[in-house]
Amino acid sequence: MTAYEALRANPEFAALRTVSTRLGLDPLQVQGPGGNTSIKSGGIMWVKASGTWLADAEAQDIFVPVDYNGLTQAIVANDESADDVGPFTHASENPSGLRASIEATVHASSPAKVVLHTHCVATIAAAIRKDAPAFLAEKLAGLSFAFIPYTKPGSGLARAIRAHAPAGTEILVLGNHGLVVCGETVAEADSLLREVSARLTPTTKADPADASPALKDRLSGTGWMPVPHRPTQRIALDERLLKVADGRTLYPDHLVFLGPGVTIAMPSETVSQAVARAAQSLFPSKLVIVPGHGVAMPETASRSELALASAFGDVLARVDPNASVTRLSRDQEAELLDWDAETYRKSLNKEQSTQRHVT
Ligand SMILES: [Zn+2]
């Protein structure tokens, strides 16, 4: 029996595929190809492949076999090769030939049999708070959890987890990123995930709203459209949410799919000038907020970009507008996309001085 045949005979794997599909179909947990799950079975860690969607976990083979002991040793040894999970993949046992997610390093950092990682919007809303450690201590009282300050996904994040979470910690809240839960069974991990998500979901949320009819008219012929998600539209109509939105990126997948932060239309600009400014920037932004009217994105948006534009509204609806938030620094934004940090900083400074000149 091959390792893959043995895995398929394990009822826990069937349970993981079911839970993974459910999480993948829940936009409040997973957006686009984000999030990943794993199971350790027969000395091998099977983890979601990079670029695949959790929603496809039952319909397709999306799990890749990884030598997690070898990967863990490389992480502990500060070996940069751990950032490329490729060398730690059991190629002969890999039926799909896919590459493991870079977040395999997070999964390897827990000895638990089952690890679920999602970009739960309620968790992100808590994990971007400046006071996240104290806030979480209150909300997650009685649970085994640790807050991990933001670190770029990869071996560095795995080392940060080792530094901040005692071995055996069941819940990790990743600063400006998301949620990780660990359990000996799929049911155990799933129930923890539901518990944390429920505890971090605020009792009151910002109400959804519609873009103004005028916005659609003004976008006509620009190639841009109102974001088809009412919680996201709300941001343009709520001064306090606008303040949270206005600034650098809040979490990695926003940057990866929508560009850095958001572009906010200036009073001196027409809507078409604002979307042109966003699109033509050296580091383009795919979310343009027109205060008082609505939020726009390109009509050519992919499924992933649409999912992340919706997530932005879902996260902000759950942010306490009175809480201060932490944003990714410019260097953190640059390192995520392998941008040259100096070019990025210069382009931002140039854009900011242009804006000051216009206003
Ligand atoms: Zn993640």
Side-chain angles (χ1 to χ4, degrees):
M1 192 186 267
T2 66
Y4 187 59
E5 283 163 355
L7 176 75
R8 290 190 76 108
N10 180 351
E12 277 290 287
F13 182 55
L16 180 71
R17 294 178 86 172
T18 303
V19 166
S20 300
T21 303
R22 193 199 77 225
L23 293 172
L25 291 172
D26 181 354
L28 300 183
Q29 291 292 342
V30 165
Q31 306 85 29
N36 31 68
T37 60
S38 69
I39 185 165
K40 298 180 184 78
S41 172
I44 294 175
M45 178 175 81
W46 294 82
V47 65
K48 195 201 81 161
S50 175
T52 60
W53 292 47
L54 275 180
D56 295 326
E58 281 176 301
Q60 299 173 13
D61 283 327
I62 64 165
F63 292 91
V64 174
V66 171
D67 166 17
Y68 66 94
N69 285 320
L71 181 58
T72 305
Q73 281 165 16
I75 290 165
V76 173
N78 236 331
D79 183 343
E80 294 284 317
S81 75
D83 269 333
D84 176 9
V85 188
F88 303 96
T89 302
H90 291 290
S92 61
E93 302 281 4
N94 188 5
S96 65
L98 296 168
R99 286 173 64 88
S101 161
I102 190 171
E103 290 186 320
T105 53
V106 169
H107 294 254
S109 68
S110 168
K113 283 211 170 66
V114 177
V115 177
L116 311 176
H117 166 50
T118 67
H119 297 157
C120 164
V121 294
T123 303
I124 294 177
I128 63 176
R129 293 174 67 114
K130 278 218 164 86
D131 66 351
F135 180 78
L136 293 167
E138 185 197 324
K139 294 288 177 188
L140 303 183
L143 299 178
S144 157
F145 89 95
F147 174 72
I148 316 297
Y150 174 80
T151 309
K152 181 190 170 189
S155 58
L157 176 54
R159 279 189 291 275
I161 291 172
R162 296 181 80 84
H164 288 90
T169 302
E170 293 173 334
I171 300 160
L172 307 172
V173 175
L174 307 182
N176 291 74
H177 182 159
L179 173 63
V180 178
V181 292
C182 312
E184 282 312 299
T185 64
V186 173
E188 204 180 290
D190 184 30
S191 113
L192 263 184
L193 185 133
R194 289 173 191 260
E195 170 92 24
V196 175
S197 301
R199 288 204 198 186
L200 296 181
T201 297
T203 45
T204 55
K205 301 193 287 286
D207 292 327
D210 289 309
S212 79
L215 180 67
K216 213 171 170 194
D217 290 346
R218 290 180 200 176
L219 287 171
S220 169
T222 63
W224 288 60
M225 63 179 182
V227 174
H229 190 63
R230 298 180 74 230
T232 304
Q233 291 304 335
R234 172 73 182 187
I235 299 166
L237 309 170
D238 186 321
E239 278 293 323
R240 296 189 309 170
L241 293 187
L242 201 51
K243 253 182 147 167
V244 180
D246 186 7
R248 291 191 314 271
T249 309
L250 291 168
Y251 47 90
D253 274 6
H254 181 98
L255 175 75
V256 171
F257 292 99
L258 300 173
V262 296
T263 296
I264 299 189
M266 294 179 287
S268 58
E269 272 179 324
T270 64
V271 170
S272 60
Q273 283 170 336
V275 297
R277 173 164 63 86
Q280 285 159 13
S281 160
L282 192 53
F283 298 93
S285 159
K286 291 181 177 164
L287 223 45
V288 170
I289 301 181
V290 184
H293 287 283
V295 183
M297 71 187 304
E299 285 171 351
T300 52
S302 67
R303 260 201 316 158
S304 300
E305 289 162 357
L306 281 164
L308 268 299
S310 297
F312 194 58
D314 291 330
V315 169
L316 262 59
R318 288 161 179 77
V319 170
D320 175 352
N322 299 315
S324 307
V325 298
T326 307
R327 299 173 195 279
L328 303 191
S329 69
R330 288 178 184 179
D331 285 347
Q332 287 167 337
E333 287 181 328
E335 72 167 354
L336 261 172
L337 294 188
D338 285 333
W339 287 340
D340 177 64
E342 198 47 39
T343 311
Y344 181 48
R345 263 195 297 270
K346 277 183 187 156
S347 92
L348 281 175
N349 290 339
K350 194 170 152 226
E351 278 173 24
Q352 279 166 359
S353 61
T354 313
Q355 283 170 35
R356 271 196 296 275
H357 182 69
V358 172
T359 51

